[in-house]
Amino acid sequence: MRRDLPRRWVVGDETLVEVARRRPDTLAALAEIRGLNPRALGDGGSGLLLAVAEGCAVPEADLPRIERRPRAIVDVEGVVELMGALVRVRAAEHSIAVPLLATRTDLERLASGDRADNPLLAGWRRSIVGDDLVRLVEGELALRVADGKIVVEETDRVPDRS
């Protein structure tokens, strides 16, 4: 903050993850971590070691928990790949970067049937790709290759909305 530098210029996220994984307890151990430049060590190395020590001292019961969503019984990897192809088609049509339109996590959730609070089914994402992704999963849309391009087309399948 004192030097008014972007956070990632000081220490990148990948480097911080490696610090957390290795849990160094000396400046020498900290210096062995790739991505930490000597200047950063000199200015803030001791503070970084203190933060690591404080983090390691937190009891297991007090650590934050990340809610894990149960995976569907069926492997969704192939479905996610197919959905990703549709996302790439729609992203190209609208000149939008694929990661801004849909993340792999969002696609995995949708493929496994989790539609609650999915950003793909809200706002502009829904109108560009979300509704089509649902239709693809439900068999109402299909993808095929024609003239070297992926083509999205309707199927003859009648949706079961019961």
Side-chain angles (χ1 to χ4, degrees):
M1 285 174 44
R2 187 178 67 249
R3 290 185 284 174
D4 193 26
L5 294 173
R7 180 180 47 84
R8 294 194 82 161
W9 287 12
V10 178
V11 180
D13 291 343
E14 297 83 9
T15 304
L16 287 175
V17 168
E18 188 62 18
V19 169
R21 189 183 70 72
R22 289 195 193 183
R23 300 176 183 177
D25 56 0
T26 66
L27 285 174
L30 194 59
E32 292 176 5
I33 297 175
R34 185 175 180 193
L36 284 176
N37 67 44
R39 184 171 176 200
L41 287 175
D43 291 348
S46 59
L48 188 52
L49 287 174
L50 179 61
V52 169
E54 288 174 358
C56 290
V58 174
E60 183 76 25
D62 293 342
L63 293 176
R65 299 282 174 228
I66 298 173
E67 180 182 327
R68 301 269 182 209
R69 296 187 183 274
R71 279 213 168 231
I73 296 171
V74 179
D75 183 21
V76 297
E77 291 303 311
V79 176
V80 169
E81 292 300 321
L82 187 62
M83 293 168 77
L86 177 58
V87 169
R88 287 189 295 280
V89 168
R90 294 298 186 241
E93 290 172 355
H94 294 276
S95 301
I96 299 172
V98 171
L100 292 177
L101 188 54
T103 67
R104 183 165 182 88
T105 301
D106 294 336
L107 293 175
E108 287 173 350
R109 285 181 52 204
L110 192 59
S112 64
D114 182 3
R115 296 184 183 175
D117 298 322
N118 192 315
L120 295 174
L121 300 178
W124 63 273
R125 287 180 180 90
R126 181 179 196 128
S127 63
I128 292 175
V129 76
D131 288 334
D132 284 346
L133 287 169
V134 171
R135 293 181 67 216
L136 180 68
V137 170
E138 292 178 353
E140 298 171 33
L141 287 182
L143 302 179
R144 66 178 177 88
V145 178
D147 298 322
K149 294 183 179 181
I150 296 174
V151 177
V152 182
E153 60 188 15
E154 303 281 332
T155 66
D156 295 336
R157 186 173 187 283
V158 178
D160 178 19
R161 305 278 187 214
S162 55

